[in-house]
Amino acid sequence: MNRGAPAFPIRAVVVGVVVMVLIALASAATTWIVSKRIRTVTTNQVTVIAATERLQHESEVLELLVQMAIATGDESHAVRYGQVRPELRESVQQLRDAIQLPENRATFSLVERAEQQIAGIEYFALDLAVADRRDEARALLSNPRYRNLVAGYRQGLASIEERSRGFIEDTRVETRRYLLINFGTSLIALLLIGLAWVVLVRPARAWAQQLADARRRAENATRAKSDFLAVMSHEIRTPLNSIIGFADLLLTDSEVRGTQRREVELIQGAGTMLLTVVNDLLDFSKIEAGKIELAPEPFALETLIDNSVSIVRGSAEAKGLEMRVAIDPCLPPFYLADETRLRQVLLNLLNNAVKFTSEGLVSLAVAGQASEGDRERIRFTITDTGVGIDPESQVQLFKPFAQADASITRRYGGTGLGLSISKQLVELMGGEIGFLSQPGQGSSFWFTVSLPRAQRPSLFDEQALAEPRHAARILVAEDLPMNQELAKAMISRAGHEVVIVDDGQEALEAVQAKHYDLVLMDIQMPRMDGITATLEIRKLPPPVGNIPIVAMTANVLPQQVTEFLAAGMNGHVAKPVRQRELNAAIASALAASPARPRPEAPTDEAAPVAAAPNEGAFDEEAYLSVAEAIPAGRLGTYVEDLQKLADAVSAATPETDPNSVIVDAHKIISQAGMLGLIRVSQRARAVEDAARAGTGLDTAIPAFREAAPDIERHLGRRLRGEG
């Protein structure tokens, strides 16, 4: 900011803001009080008044009915009394619920007791009148006790009504007062806002304008400096590369020996040091000028770390330092980022650690912190046992051209730009950087970046899939919607035409209606299962009866595969299906001639059983391939269906119908496996096997309950965007 810019009146702004906030709070408080009073009047007291008036009327009607019954002896008046009395009871209940004032509540207790006693006397009088003992009934109603009860009852109702009306009137008076206060405070607030505009806002706008002008001048000066540095660094770097290059050539010459070789090595070392300085200046000028752009590309995290550590390992070993590297095994292998800039930050920190450490070790730890949707937050920590940094110098550490001690430049060299450049690159990647250090006890520098996960390089020939040599027409018999959609996407990706049917009966009808080159048959389906459908197809005359059929199922036990082949199937692919295995199964089935005999059923030892992934692992690659093939909305529905199946199996007991457990668990095996939920799929398979065997459910179901939360942990949060 220039010297002519006025100081911003910060105290006046703070006082003005506080005053206006207090006024706003006072206005809101009065409004709340008024609204509360109005609600109380409308919902309670009006109801109380209406109920007391209704009770007065109903009690008078009941008293009149008793008198008429006594005067005439007519039983119909007694009947009518019995009809009206419940209505009065209901009115009493409404009055009890509506009363809020403590004074009315005490009076109501007396009224309620009086009403109960009056009802008892009147019912007795009615019984006497109907029994033609009307004189006794008249005497009963003429009794002073009855008359006192009636008088007290009506007086209590009148008292309740009078208090409620008084409360309403008091509320109206208070409402008017609060509204006047509210109007006054609002008027004061408006006046203060106008005053603030004159006293605060207009000077602040002028101050902001002058500040903007000063910022523009500073930015122009910085840009000119950065452009100058960029040009000069480039001009210096060109001849410097030649110096270093020719020094390297001389060192490779075996005739350069002794003193001459030592002098050439000094030239090479000085040139390399100068090149580092120039490169730092060039990077710094580019960052300041805003000319650095990140170029994200897929890269292997472990390879990046190995390359970075290998570069500094020689310097560390030359000083007798131990190098340690620890990488979180749960981290996905591939990410999308600017690998060059990420390596630059790592090398800056690793080089500093080696440079400022004379003995001990330098370690690099890489750990995952949190998943954020399709991104992973990773923390890199570089720790050394070097000289450390004193507290006074730590505040200057990330500033350009600053080092912890001026003597460091003379002793270790450098520009003091490495950490500044690293900080700006990390922040450009959306991350954070920091450190912990104590003099004489070493330092620990860390930075975090949030990187999108990348797909592993494809295991099959994409070009061959895009343009298949022999596109086929394939029928898929599958009852689960998610498996249908995924199978269609995977087979279409391989260049084949796909038709989906829901069960074996539809598959049998489809192969007779149109020509298909191959049938992929699920085993457990409604109406007609896959084995029955295969047996029926094989009974058909050629060429339909000879169509290749491949089992596509989660049933992978040797005896199950033997049963598939014995039924006439030509092969087997295990769920969860992977693209590579599916392509191989399709290619193998299409290559075999229908006239060739079907393969013999394998023995138990040779049966092809799908290899199970490691227990507890979540297959990120499998999930991403499914998420790519299925729209997010439908994928969310499939995950909800999977959760319902998991809840049903979790709720099962050894007494539950084993057939229902088998059906639900079998569906989970396939869907969970395709969505990458390896542990859920494996535990569901154990439940299915136990249910079929009729033993072991008491251990298989609790084990499945332990794995069931993986659905929410790995999929629910991803689909909701929580990470």
Side-chain angles (χ1 to χ4, degrees):
M1 192 192 328
N2 63 346
R3 298 194 179 191
F8 187 71
I10 186 65
R11 291 184 180 178
V13 171
V14 171
V15 171
V17 169
V18 170
V19 170
M20 283 187 279
V21 168
L22 291 176
I23 292 173
L25 290 175
S27 178
T30 55
T31 303
W32 179 79
I33 292 171
V34 170
S35 63
K36 183 179 180 181
R37 286 290 186 179
I38 293 173
R39 285 198 304 272
T40 302
V41 169
T42 54
T43 58
N44 298 122
Q45 304 312 313
V46 172
T47 303
V48 169
I49 293 171
T52 54
E53 291 177 346
R54 188 164 56 254
L55 280 173
Q56 290 277 19
H57 173 71
E58 289 171 348
S59 62
E60 291 173 357
V61 169
L62 290 173
E63 185 178 358
L64 180 60
L65 287 171
V66 173
Q67 292 175 355
M68 292 178 67
I70 293 172
T72 62
D74 190 348
E75 187 177 351
S76 63
H77 298 301
V79 173
R80 177 59 181 158
Y81 181 93
Q83 295 172 346
V84 176
R85 173 57 69 177
E87 297 176 3
L88 183 139
R89 291 284 187 185
E90 184 178 349
S91 298
V92 170
Q93 181 62 42
Q94 292 175 355
L95 181 59
R96 179 191 296 112
D97 296 338
I99 287 177
Q100 297 293 330
L101 296 178
E103 306 93 326
N104 280 348
R105 191 170 294 280
T107 304
F108 174 77
S109 298
L110 299 175
V111 169
E112 190 173 27
R113 284 198 297 271
E115 186 275 332
Q116 293 171 354
Q117 294 175 3
I118 290 170
I121 295 172
E122 288 179 346
Y123 271 121
F124 187 41
L126 285 172
D127 290 341
L128 292 174
V130 171
D132 203 18
R133 297 164 62 187
R134 289 181 287 171
D135 290 338
E136 295 179 33
R138 287 193 191 92
L140 188 61
L141 294 186
S142 300
N143 189 289
R145 178 172 175 272
Y146 173 75
R147 302 315 305 173
N148 290 338
L149 285 172
V150 172
Y153 171 76
R154 292 178 180 173
Q155 183 178 357
L157 290 177
S159 177
I160 291 173
E161 182 178 355
E162 182 180 356
R163 288 197 193 96
S164 295
R165 293 187 184 278
F167 184 81
I168 291 174
E169 185 60 30
D170 292 343
T171 301
R172 288 174 180 169
V173 173
E174 290 181 10
T175 300
R176 285 193 293 270
R177 184 167 66 251
Y178 289 138
L179 289 176
L180 286 174
I181 294 173
N182 196 27
F183 175 77
T185 53
S186 300
L187 183 61
I188 293 172
L190 289 174
L191 292 174
L192 284 176
I193 291 172
L195 183 63
W197 174 264
V198 175
V199 176
L200 302 177
V201 177
R202 291 178 63 184
R205 292 178 64 184
W207 177 84
Q209 183 62 42
Q210 294 183 27
L211 180 62
D213 293 340
R215 183 182 293 112
R216 272 194 299 272
R217 287 192 291 272
E219 289 172 351
N220 291 336
T222 301
R223 192 175 297 109
K225 178 193 71 175
S226 299
D227 291 342
F228 172 76
L229 284 174
V231 172
M232 292 306 297
S233 297
H234 183 270
E235 294 301 321
I236 296 172
R237 196 166 182 239
T238 301
L240 189 58
N241 282 330
S242 298
I243 294 172
I244 297 173
F246 283 116
D248 290 340
L249 287 175
L250 287 172
L251 289 174
T252 60
D253 190 346
S254 59
E255 296 182 2
V256 179
R257 301 175 182 173
T259 304
Q260 289 183 339
R261 188 171 192 85
R262 175 60 180 162
E263 290 171 348
V264 174
E265 288 175 348
L266 291 174
I267 292 172
Q268 184 195 48
T272 302
M273 184 179 298
L274 183 57
L275 182 61
T276 301
V277 173
V278 173
N279 285 339
D280 282 349
L281 288 170
L282 185 60
D283 275 344
F284 180 73
S285 63
K286 284 183 178 180
I287 291 173
E288 278 207 326
K291 294 181 179 178
I292 281 191
E293 294 183 359
L294 301 179
E297 291 183 356
F299 73 95
L301 178 64
E302 192 168 336
T303 301
L304 166 69
I305 295 169
D306 182 64
N307 290 344
S308 301
V309 172
S310 297
I311 291 172
V312 300
R313 190 182 296 278
S315 302
E317 290 176 350
K319 298 178 70 173
L321 302 178
E322 180 185 356
M323 288 288 297
R324 294 180 186 174
V325 180
I327 304 175
D328 187 345
C330 296
L331 286 174
F334 296 95
Y335 293 93
L336 187 68
D338 190 326
E339 183 180 7
T340 301
R341 293 302 179 183
L342 199 55
R343 183 186 289 108
Q344 182 177 353
V345 176
L346 267 176
L347 285 175
N348 268 335
L349 298 179
L350 286 169
N351 276 322
N352 279 351
V354 172
K355 181 193 298 185
F356 298 117
T357 303
S358 57
E359 59 181 13
L361 64 87
V362 173
S363 66
L364 168 62
V366 185
Q369 283 192 314
S371 294
E372 305 163 349
D374 63 342
R375 307 175 74 89
E376 191 83 27
R377 178 164 288 277
I378 308 174
R379 182 183 177 101
F380 299 81
T381 306
I382 296 89
T383 305
D384 63 65
T385 58
V387 296
I389 308 165
D390 63 87
E392 292 77 13
S393 302
Q394 291 182 9
V395 295
Q396 304 289 330
L397 208 56
F398 286 112
K399 293 183 179 180
F401 304 103
Q403 289 187 324
D405 191 326
S407 63
I408 289 177
T409 304
R410 297 190 297 272
R411 181 178 177 186
Y412 298 103
T415 60
L417 286 175
L419 289 178
S420 175
I421 292 171
S422 297
K423 182 177 188 296
Q424 295 184 68
L425 286 176
V426 169
E427 291 176 350
L428 191 62
M429 289 185 278
E432 296 178 302
I433 189 169
F435 70 96
L436 295 171
S437 181
Q438 291 186 4
Q441 298 185 23
S443 304
S444 178
F445 282 81
W446 59 266
F447 69 94
T448 62
V449 286
S450 181
L451 303 179
R453 290 181 285 272
Q455 290 281 0
R456 181 189 299 273
S458 179
L459 297 176
F460 50 85
D461 185 358
E462 294 285 349
Q463 185 64 28
L465 291 180
E467 299 178 1
R469 297 180 181 179
H470 303 290
R473 196 161 191 266
I474 298 176
L475 178 69
V476 177
E478 170 64 59
D479 62 316
L480 295 180
M482 190 193 86
N483 292 353
Q484 291 178 347
E485 194 162 355
L486 186 60
K488 185 172 184 179
M490 295 172 74
I491 297 170
S492 299
R493 187 185 297 168
H496 303 297
E497 181 183 355
V498 188
V499 176
I500 305 291
V501 294
D502 293 328
D503 54 48
Q505 181 63 44
E506 291 185 13
L508 179 61
E509 296 168 1
V511 296
Q512 297 179 76
K514 290 184 180 180
H515 168 74
Y516 292 95
D517 298 298
L518 173 66
V519 178
L520 293 175
M521 186 79 73
D522 188 18
I523 298 301
Q524 293 185 206
M525 294 182 290
R527 292 210 300 171
M528 182 183 289
D529 61 65
I531 292 178
T532 304
T534 300
L535 292 171
E536 293 299 321
I537 291 174
R538 293 302 180 219
K539 294 177 183 178
L540 298 174
V544 177
N546 294 331
I547 185 172
I549 301 175
V550 174
M552 187 170 66
T553 176
N555 295 339
V556 296
L557 296 178
Q559 60 269 27
Q560 293 172 327
V561 177
T562 300
E563 185 180 5
F564 305 157
L565 298 178
M569 293 186 177
N570 302 81
H572 167 262
V573 59
K575 292 179 181 177
V577 179
R578 298 292 183 266
Q579 183 78 59
R580 185 178 184 180
E581 286 75 16
L582 180 61
N583 292 343
I586 292 174
S588 176
L590 293 176
S593 169
R596 292 174 61 185
R598 291 188 294 275
E600 295 181 1
T603 63
D604 286 357
E605 292 78 6
V609 180
N614 293 333
E615 173 73 6
F618 172 63
D619 191 343
E620 183 78 12
E621 180 186 353
Y623 168 75
L624 291 176
S625 65
V626 173
E628 181 183 2
I630 299 177
R634 290 202 294 277
L635 184 60
T637 301
Y638 298 147
V639 172
E640 290 178 5
D641 294 340
L642 177 61
Q643 184 65 62
K644 292 177 182 177
L645 291 170
D647 292 342
V649 172
S650 297
T653 65
E655 290 74 32
T656 304
D657 179 13
N659 291 327
S660 66
V661 175
I662 291 170
V663 170
D664 291 341
H666 187 79
K667 292 179 180 178
I668 293 173
I669 295 171
S670 171
Q671 291 197 196
M674 289 187 178
L675 289 168
L677 297 168
I678 304 302
R679 186 168 69 154
V680 175
S681 178
Q682 292 174 338
R683 299 289 176 84
R685 188 183 299 280
V687 171
E688 182 188 20
D689 294 343
R692 290 186 186 279
T695 58
L697 273 179
D698 54 342
T699 56
I701 291 177
F704 178 83
R705 292 184 190 129
E706 293 178 1
D710 287 358
I711 300 173
E712 169 63 19
R713 183 182 305 116
H714 294 297
L715 301 185
R717 296 176 181 174
R718 278 180 168 82
L719 293 174
R720 291 195 302 271
E722 298 175 5

